[in-house]
Coordinates of all heavy atoms in Angstrom, one line a residue:
Chain B
C30 N 66.0 -39.3 206.1 CA 66.0 -40.0 204.9 C 66.3 -39.2 203.7 O 66.1 -39.7 202.5 CB 64.6 -40.7 204.7 SG 64.3 -41.9 206.0
D31 N 66.9 -38.0 203.8 CA 67.3 -37.2 202.6 C 68.4 -36.3 203.0 O 68.1 -35.1 203.4 CB 66.1 -36.5 202.0 CG 66.5 -35.9 200.7 OD1 67.5 -36.3 200.1 OD2 65.7 -35.0 200.2
V32 N 69.6 -36.7 202.9 CA 70.8 -35.9 203.3 C 71.7 -35.8 202.1 O 72.1 -36.8 201.6 CB 71.5 -36.5 204.5 CG1 72.8 -35.7 204.9 CG2 70.6 -36.6 205.7
H33 N 72.0 -34.6 201.7 CA 72.8 -34.4 200.5 C 74.2 -34.2 200.8 O 74.7 -33.1 201.2 CB 72.2 -33.2 199.7 CG 70.8 -33.4 199.2 ND1 70.5 -34.3 198.2 CD2 69.6 -33.0 199.7 CE1 69.2 -34.3 198.0 NE2 68.6 -33.6 198.9
N34 N 75.0 -35.3 200.5 CA 76.4 -35.2 200.6 C 76.9 -34.8 199.2 O 76.3 -35.3 198.2 CB 77.0 -36.5 201.0 CG 76.7 -37.7 200.1 OD1 75.5 -37.8 199.7 ND2 77.7 -38.5 199.7
S35 N 78.0 -34.1 199.1 CA 78.3 -33.5 197.8 C 79.8 -33.5 197.6 O 80.6 -33.6 198.5 CB 77.8 -32.1 197.7 OG 78.1 -31.5 196.4
W36 N 80.2 -33.4 196.3 CA 81.6 -33.1 196.0 C 81.6 -31.6 195.7 O 80.6 -31.0 195.4 CB 82.1 -33.9 194.8 CG 81.2 -33.9 193.6 CD1 80.8 -32.9 192.8 CD2 80.4 -35.0 193.2 NE1 79.9 -33.3 191.9 CE2 79.6 -34.6 192.1 CE3 80.3 -36.4 193.6 CZ2 78.8 -35.5 191.4 CZ3 79.4 -37.2 192.9 CH2 78.7 -36.8 191.8
S37 N 82.8 -31.0 195.8 CA 82.9 -29.5 195.5 C 83.2 -29.4 194.0 O 83.0 -28.3 193.4 CB 84.0 -28.8 196.3 OG 83.5 -28.7 197.6
S38 N 83.8 -30.5 193.4 CA 84.2 -30.4 192.0 C 84.0 -31.8 191.5 O 84.3 -32.8 192.1 CB 85.7 -30.1 191.9 OG 86.1 -30.4 190.6
S39 N 83.5 -31.9 190.2 CA 83.3 -33.2 189.6 C 84.6 -33.9 189.4 O 84.6 -35.1 189.1 CB 82.5 -33.1 188.3 OG 83.2 -32.3 187.4
T40 N 85.7 -33.2 189.5 CA 87.0 -33.9 189.4 C 87.2 -34.9 190.5 O 88.0 -35.8 190.3 CB 88.2 -32.9 189.4 OG1 88.0 -32.1 190.6 CG2 88.1 -31.9 188.2
A41 N 86.4 -34.9 191.5 CA 86.4 -35.9 192.6 C 86.1 -37.3 192.0 O 86.5 -38.3 192.6 CB 85.4 -35.6 193.7
L42 N 85.4 -37.3 190.9 CA 85.0 -38.6 190.3 C 86.1 -39.2 189.4 O 86.0 -40.4 189.0 CB 83.8 -38.4 189.4 CG 82.5 -38.0 190.2 CD1 81.3 -37.8 189.3 CD2 82.2 -39.0 191.3
L43 N 87.2 -38.4 189.0 CA 88.2 -38.9 188.1 C 88.8 -40.2 188.5 O 88.9 -41.1 187.6 CB 89.3 -37.8 187.9 CG 88.8 -36.6 187.1 CD1 89.9 -35.5 187.0 CD2 88.3 -37.0 185.7
P44 N 89.1 -40.4 189.7 CA 89.7 -41.7 190.1 C 88.8 -42.9 189.9 O 89.2 -44.1 189.9 CB 90.1 -41.6 191.5 CG 90.0 -40.1 191.9 CD 89.1 -39.5 190.9
Y45 N 87.5 -42.6 189.8 CA 86.5 -43.7 189.8 C 85.9 -43.9 188.4 O 85.1 -44.8 188.2 CB 85.3 -43.4 190.8 CG 85.8 -43.2 192.2 CD1 86.0 -41.9 192.7 CD2 86.2 -44.3 193.0 CE1 86.5 -41.7 194.0 CE2 86.7 -44.1 194.2 CZ 86.8 -42.8 194.8 OH 87.3 -42.6 196.0
L46 N 86.2 -43.0 187.5 CA 85.6 -43.2 186.1 C 86.5 -44.1 185.3 O 87.7 -44.0 185.3 CB 85.6 -41.8 185.4 CG 84.3 -41.0 185.5 CD1 84.5 -39.6 185.0 CD2 83.2 -41.7 184.8
E47 N 85.9 -45.0 184.5 CA 86.6 -45.8 183.6 C 87.2 -44.9 182.5 O 86.7 -43.9 182.2 CB 85.8 -46.9 183.1 CG 84.4 -46.4 182.5 CD 83.2 -47.3 183.0 OE1 82.8 -47.2 184.2 OE2 82.8 -48.1 182.2
P48 N 88.4 -45.3 182.0 CA 89.2 -44.4 181.1 C 88.4 -43.8 180.0 O 88.6 -42.6 179.7 CB 90.3 -45.4 180.6 CG 90.4 -46.4 181.6 CD 89.1 -46.6 182.2
A49 N 87.5 -44.6 179.3 CA 86.8 -44.0 178.1 C 86.0 -42.8 178.5 O 85.8 -41.9 177.7 CB 85.9 -45.1 177.5
F50 N 85.5 -42.8 179.7 CA 84.6 -41.7 180.1 C 85.4 -40.7 181.0 O 85.0 -39.5 181.1 CB 83.4 -42.2 180.8 CG 82.5 -43.0 179.9 CD1 82.4 -44.3 180.0 CD2 81.8 -42.3 178.9 CE1 81.6 -45.0 179.1 CE2 81.0 -43.0 178.0 CZ 80.9 -44.4 178.1
R51 N 86.5 -41.1 181.6 CA 87.4 -40.1 182.3 C 87.8 -39.1 181.2 O 87.9 -37.9 181.5 CB 88.6 -40.8 182.9 CG 89.4 -39.9 183.8 CD 90.7 -40.6 184.3 NE 90.3 -41.8 185.0 CZ 91.1 -42.9 184.9 NH1 92.1 -43.0 184.1 NH2 90.7 -44.0 185.5
D52 N 88.1 -39.6 180.0 CA 88.5 -38.8 178.9 C 87.4 -37.7 178.6 O 87.8 -36.6 178.4 CB 88.7 -39.7 177.7 CG 89.0 -39.0 176.4 OD1 90.1 -38.4 176.3 OD2 88.1 -39.0 175.5
Y53 N 86.2 -38.1 178.7 CA 85.1 -37.1 178.5 C 85.1 -36.0 179.6 O 85.0 -34.8 179.3 CB 83.7 -37.8 178.6 CG 83.2 -38.6 177.4 CD1 84.1 -39.4 176.7 CD2 81.9 -38.7 177.1 CE1 83.6 -40.2 175.7 CE2 81.4 -39.5 176.1 CZ 82.3 -40.2 175.4 OH 81.8 -41.0 174.4
L54 N 85.3 -36.5 180.8 CA 85.3 -35.5 181.9 C 86.5 -34.6 181.9 O 86.4 -33.4 182.2 CB 85.1 -36.2 183.3 CG 84.8 -35.4 184.5 CD1 83.5 -34.6 184.3 CD2 84.7 -36.3 185.7
V55 N 87.7 -35.1 181.5 CA 88.9 -34.3 181.5 C 88.9 -33.4 180.3 O 89.2 -32.2 180.4 CB 90.1 -35.3 181.4 CG1 91.4 -34.5 181.1 CG2 90.3 -36.0 182.7
R56 N 88.5 -33.9 179.1 CA 88.7 -33.2 177.9 C 87.4 -32.6 177.3 O 87.4 -31.7 176.4 CB 89.4 -34.0 176.8 CG 90.7 -34.6 177.3 CD 91.5 -35.5 176.3 NE 91.6 -34.7 175.0 CZ 91.0 -35.0 173.9 NH1 90.1 -36.0 173.9 NH2 91.1 -34.2 172.9
G57 N 86.3 -33.1 177.8 CA 85.0 -32.8 177.1 C 84.4 -31.5 177.6 O 84.8 -30.9 178.6
E58 N 83.3 -31.2 177.0 CA 82.5 -30.0 177.4 C 81.8 -30.2 178.7 O 81.4 -31.3 179.0 CB 81.5 -29.7 176.3 CG 80.7 -28.5 176.5 CD 79.6 -28.3 175.5 OE1 79.4 -29.2 174.7 OE2 78.9 -27.3 175.5
L59 N 81.8 -29.2 179.5 CA 81.1 -29.3 180.8 C 80.0 -28.2 180.8 O 80.3 -27.1 180.4 CB 82.0 -29.2 182.0 CG 83.0 -30.4 182.2 CD1 84.0 -30.1 183.2 CD2 82.2 -31.6 182.6
P60 N 78.9 -28.5 181.4 CA 77.8 -27.5 181.2 C 78.0 -26.2 182.0 O 77.5 -25.2 181.6 CB 76.6 -28.3 181.8 CG 77.1 -29.3 182.7 CD 78.5 -29.7 182.1
G61 N 78.7 -26.3 183.1 CA 78.9 -25.1 183.9 C 80.4 -24.8 184.1 O 80.8 -24.2 185.1
G62 N 81.2 -25.1 183.1 CA 82.6 -24.8 183.2 C 83.3 -25.8 184.1 O 82.7 -26.8 184.5
R63 N 84.5 -25.5 184.4 CA 85.4 -26.3 185.2 C 84.7 -26.7 186.5 O 84.0 -25.9 187.1 CB 86.7 -25.6 185.5 CG 87.9 -26.4 185.4 CD 89.2 -25.5 185.5 NE 90.2 -26.1 186.4 CZ 90.4 -25.8 187.6 NH1 89.7 -24.8 188.2 NH2 91.3 -26.4 188.4
D64 N 84.9 -27.9 186.9 CA 84.4 -28.5 188.2 C 82.9 -28.8 188.1 O 82.4 -29.4 189.1 CB 84.6 -27.5 189.4 CG 86.0 -27.2 189.7 OD1 86.8 -28.2 189.6 OD2 86.4 -26.0 190.0
S65 N 82.2 -28.5 187.1 CA 80.8 -28.8 187.0 C 80.6 -30.2 186.6 O 81.4 -30.9 186.0 CB 80.0 -27.8 186.1 OG 80.4 -28.0 184.8
F66 N 79.4 -30.7 186.9 CA 79.0 -32.1 186.7 C 78.3 -32.2 185.4 O 77.4 -31.4 185.1 CB 78.2 -32.6 187.9 CG 77.8 -34.0 187.8 CD1 78.7 -35.0 187.9 CD2 76.5 -34.4 187.5 CE1 78.4 -36.4 187.8 CE2 76.1 -35.7 187.4 CZ 77.1 -36.7 187.6
P67 N 78.6 -33.2 184.6 CA 77.9 -33.3 183.3 C 76.4 -33.6 183.4 O 76.1 -34.7 183.9 CB 78.7 -34.5 182.6 CG 80.0 -34.6 183.3 CD 79.7 -34.2 184.7
H68 N 75.6 -32.7 183.1 CA 74.2 -32.9 183.2 C 73.5 -31.8 182.4 O 74.2 -30.8 182.1 CB 73.7 -33.0 184.6 CG 73.7 -31.6 185.3 ND1 74.9 -31.1 185.7 CD2 72.7 -30.8 185.6 CE1 74.6 -29.9 186.3 NE2 73.3 -29.7 186.3
A69 N 72.2 -32.0 182.1 CA 71.5 -30.9 181.5 C 70.8 -30.2 182.6 O 70.0 -30.8 183.3 CB 70.5 -31.4 180.5
H70 N 71.0 -28.9 182.8 CA 70.4 -28.2 183.9 C 69.0 -27.9 183.7 O 68.6 -27.6 182.6 CB 71.2 -26.9 184.2 CG 71.2 -26.5 185.7 ND1 71.8 -27.2 186.6 CD2 70.5 -25.5 186.3 CE1 71.6 -26.6 187.8 NE2 70.8 -25.6 187.6
R71 N 68.2 -27.8 184.8 CA 66.9 -27.4 184.7 C 66.8 -25.9 184.3 O 67.8 -25.2 184.6 CB 66.1 -27.6 186.0 CG 66.8 -26.9 187.2 CD 66.2 -27.2 188.5 NE 67.3 -27.3 189.6 CZ 67.9 -26.3 190.1 NH1 67.6 -25.1 189.7 NH2 68.8 -26.5 191.0
P72 N 65.8 -25.5 183.6 CA 65.7 -24.1 183.1 C 65.2 -23.1 184.2 O 64.9 -22.0 183.8 CB 64.8 -24.2 181.9 CG 63.9 -25.4 182.2 CD 64.7 -26.3 183.0
W73 N 65.1 -23.5 185.4 CA 64.8 -22.6 186.5 C 66.0 -22.5 187.4 O 66.4 -23.4 188.0 CB 63.6 -23.1 187.3 CG 62.4 -23.4 186.5 CD1 61.5 -22.5 186.0 CD2 62.1 -24.7 185.9 NE1 60.6 -23.1 185.2 CE2 60.9 -24.5 185.1 CE3 62.6 -25.9 186.0 CZ2 60.3 -25.5 184.4 CZ3 62.0 -26.9 185.3 CH2 60.8 -26.7 184.5
L74 N 66.5 -21.3 187.5 CA 67.7 -21.1 188.3 C 67.3 -20.4 189.6 O 66.7 -19.3 189.6 CB 68.7 -20.2 187.5 CG 69.1 -20.8 186.2 CD1 69.9 -19.8 185.4 CD2 69.8 -22.1 186.4
H75 N 67.7 -21.0 190.7 CA 67.3 -20.5 192.0 C 68.0 -19.2 192.2 O 69.2 -19.1 192.1 CB 67.8 -21.5 193.1 CG 67.2 -21.2 194.5 ND1 67.4 -20.0 195.1 CD2 66.5 -22.0 195.3 CE1 66.8 -20.1 196.3 NE2 66.2 -21.3 196.4
P76 N 67.2 -18.1 192.5 CA 67.8 -16.8 192.5 C 68.7 -16.5 193.7 O 69.4 -15.5 193.8 CB 66.6 -15.8 192.5 CG 65.5 -16.6 193.1 CD 65.8 -18.1 192.7
E77 N 68.8 -17.5 194.6 CA 69.7 -17.3 195.8 C 70.7 -18.5 195.9 O 71.3 -18.7 196.9 CB 68.9 -17.3 197.1 CG 68.0 -16.0 197.3 CD 68.9 -14.9 197.7 OE1 69.9 -15.0 198.4 OE2 68.6 -13.7 197.2
G78 N 70.7 -19.3 194.8 CA 71.4 -20.6 195.0 C 70.5 -21.4 195.8 O 69.5 -20.9 196.4
F79 N 70.6 -22.8 195.9 CA 69.6 -23.6 196.5 C 70.2 -24.2 197.8 O 69.7 -25.2 198.3 CB 69.0 -24.6 195.6 CG 70.0 -25.6 195.1 CD1 70.2 -26.8 195.7 CD2 70.7 -25.3 193.9 CE1 71.2 -27.7 195.2 CE2 71.6 -26.2 193.4 CZ 71.9 -27.4 194.1

Side-chain angles (χ1 to χ4, degrees):
Chain B
C30 294
D31 189 18
V32 176
H33 294 287
N34 61 314
S35 184
W36 47 72
S37 287
S38 163
S39 64
T40 55
L42 297 180
L43 289 174
Y45 304 101
L46 266 172
E47 49 228 76
F50 294 106
R51 189 185 306 139
D52 176 67
Y53 285 33
L54 191 55
V55 170
R56 303 182 53 250
E58 184 185 5
L59 290 170
R63 221 170 137 259
D64 299 319
S65 69
F66 182 69
H68 70 287
H70 206 73
R71 56 188 145 73
W73 304 277
L74 302 172
H75 193 302
E77 291 284 326
F79 60 93

